[in-house]
Every structure is written in C-alpha cells, then in structure tokens.
Amino acid sequence: MTSTVPPGTVPAADPPGTGAGEYTVALGRLDLWLVRRPEERAAELDRSELDGAERHRAASFIRPADGLLYAAAHIALRRLLGRYTGTAPQDLTFVREPCPGCGGAHGRPALAAAPLHFSLSHSGGVALVGVAAVPLGVDVERLPRPESVEVCTAALHPDEQAELRAVGEAHRSPLFGRIWTRKEAFLKGIGTGLSRSPAEDYLGADTTRHPSGWTVLDIACDDTHAAAVAVCGAAPRTVNVRWLAQDWLGPGGGTGTAAAPRPARATDVPTPAATAG
C-alpha cells in the first residue's frame, strides 16, 4: 500500500528571509524545487559550472528552447546539490547506481559519496528537482493534447485505461498527466525508468493498489503541467515546495537563498494521489 500525506498538509517553510535549514537532508523531509525556463533574452544563464557533456547536450537540441530548459535545469541541479553538500557545483561528480534489473551502471543517477538522493525532470518549460535522504523519483510533464492521450493510453495499466474512459473528454488530459507523472516518478525512483513496462504497475486513483513501500504524491505546479514525486518508504513528515528565483541561475547566482520571495500557496501543496481520480 502506498502511504500518503494527509489532505490539507501545508509544506513547512523556513523563516522568511533567513533561509535557515533550507538545504537540509533528513529522514522524513522532502524538498522539491521548481524552476521555469527563462525567456531566451530575459535572463543570462551561467553555464560555467556545467561539464562538457552537459554543455554538448544543451547545444544539441533541435529546438533552442529545449536546450535552454535543459541548461537551466542542470545549472539549478548543480547549484542546489552544491548547497546541500557544501561542494562547488562544478566539482560535483555524478554516477549511476546499479540497474535493479541487470546490475548494469544505468540505474538511478546519484552523487558520488554523498549522503543524499535526488531526482530531476524537465518538460515544456518547467523543471523539477527533488532532494531527500531516501531514494525518490520526480516527474513533470506538460499536459498532453487529446490526440496524444488517445495514442498513449494504450500503454497504461488496464485499470488506468478504464479510469480514463470513465471521465469526460475535457478531463482526460489532466487525468492522464497525473497518472503518467506518478508512473514515471515511481519508475525513476526504483531505477528502471521506462525499461519497465508502464502497464505493469497500477498508479490510478485507488492508492491501496499502488506499489508497496512507496509514497506517491501529486505536485501542483501550474495550469499547464502535471507533476508527481515517488518517495521510498513512509510519507515524509515535512514537504517543502519552492520555486527558484530566475536570477539564481545567472552569473553570481546560487549564493543566496534559492527560494523566490513569496510564501507557499495552496496550489503548491502536494496532495495524495488518491485525490486525482
């Protein structure tokens, strides 16, 4: 059975303006950081802390906007993990954990010799970073068009397909987005990714049938995206959801508080996956 955070749970916030405890890793704590792709001429990204492979990948996207989001996401990831570990962002060494299926070095991404777990996702102009003391996976996706929902629904668990057929056409896109992001978050959390069939695990409305030993939460980010996190073990006692300030990604950024100067809103609060049916 999947554990869930009780409805109405409000993310804990650090004292305004202090950043106290903002980069803390502890059992029972989950930190989620959201970042928007900057407008191409509205902000200058500082790519100096990226390694050669990251810079090459950012430059290889066909659509410049996708490369800009990739670069922003990886700058955010390096600077955040640098703050959590007390390491210069450019000095972080990323590795792959063993694959749970074959044992090969293509499982969950990890930091070498670091006492934390992280997960990164980016799609359609938004990126999401999760940090915890236990294995986790995050996923954010732009809500699909109706034709994409029709094509991709066949890849889901049969009972998830039935749930989608049971709602009106206007509700299928957001419902598909919630189911799919839960599924990808879970598959990233266990380290298989989509090499494990999306039809194998049920992540629909009935949380009693979710994969055992994992907490699955929907993360509200905006009206055009769905997001979710899967955390190994019981529901975290503290969930912090923050948007990164855009200037934190530019030259000289990443040295102050990372959170944008506004309190958490009700729409930022993670909700049990049970509410999504």
Side-chain angles (χ1 to χ4, degrees):
M1 176 178 177
T2 300
S3 301
T4 57
V5 170
T9 298
V10 177
D14 297 320
T18 67
E22 193 168 26
Y23 309 100
T24 299
V25 179
L27 288 173
R29 171 173 173 147
L30 169 65
D31 287 354
L32 298 166
W33 300 91
L34 288 152
V35 60
R36 293 192 187 280
R37 179 188 63 224
E39 296 297 328
E40 294 196 41
R41 296 185 180 177
E44 181 183 355
L45 295 179
D46 181 2
R47 305 174 191 236
S48 64
E49 294 157 349
L50 300 179
D51 65 21
E54 289 167 325
R55 293 178 202 173
H56 176 76
R57 178 72 186 278
S60 67
F61 285 88
I62 296 174
R63 296 178 66 247
D66 294 336
L68 191 66
L69 176 61
Y70 176 91
H74 283 259
I75 292 167
L77 178 67
R78 281 186 173 272
R79 289 185 170 180
L80 285 169
L81 295 182
R83 295 300 294 270
Y84 280 101
T85 62
T87 306
Q90 65 271 21
D91 293 337
L92 295 170
T93 300
F94 293 96
V95 296
R96 286 279 184 172
E97 296 180 352
C99 170
C102 69
H106 51 261
R108 282 190 305 262
L111 273 182
L116 59 75
H117 295 267
F118 72 90
S119 184
L120 169 66
S121 177
H122 45 85
S123 170
V126 174
L128 174 61
V129 177
V131 179
V134 296
L136 78 160
V138 302
D139 190 54
V140 61
E141 302 282 346
R142 183 181 288 278
L143 294 179
R145 297 174 180 174
E147 54 269 28
S148 297
V149 173
E150 184 175 353
V151 171
C152 296
T153 294
L156 299 177
H157 187 282
D159 292 341
E160 295 167 347
Q161 296 183 39
E163 290 175 15
L164 282 163
R165 289 193 297 268
V167 301
E169 186 173 345
H171 300 288
R172 284 178 192 155
S173 178
L175 178 56
F176 179 91
R178 289 192 293 271
I179 292 173
W180 188 262
T181 53
R182 293 176 208 151
K183 193 173 296 286
E184 281 224 47
F186 170 68
L187 295 177
K188 290 168 73 173
I190 64 175
T192 65
L194 290 172
S195 65
R196 181 181 175 100
S197 170
E200 186 164 343
D201 305 287
Y202 171 82
L203 283 151
D206 184 357
T207 60
T208 65
R209 299 173 54 201
H210 283 190
S212 176
W214 286 80
T215 295
V216 180
L217 298 172
D218 296 323
I219 308 300
C221 54
D222 62 25
D223 294 336
T224 59
H225 290 74
V229 57
V231 183
C232 185
R237 295 185 299 274
T238 302
V239 180
N240 300 303
V241 184
R242 304 181 183 91
W243 283 91
L244 282 175
Q246 289 291 306
D247 58 7
W248 210 71
L249 304 176
T255 56
T257 179
R262 68 160 179 77
R265 302 173 300 180
T267 54
D268 295 330
V269 179
T271 58
T275 64

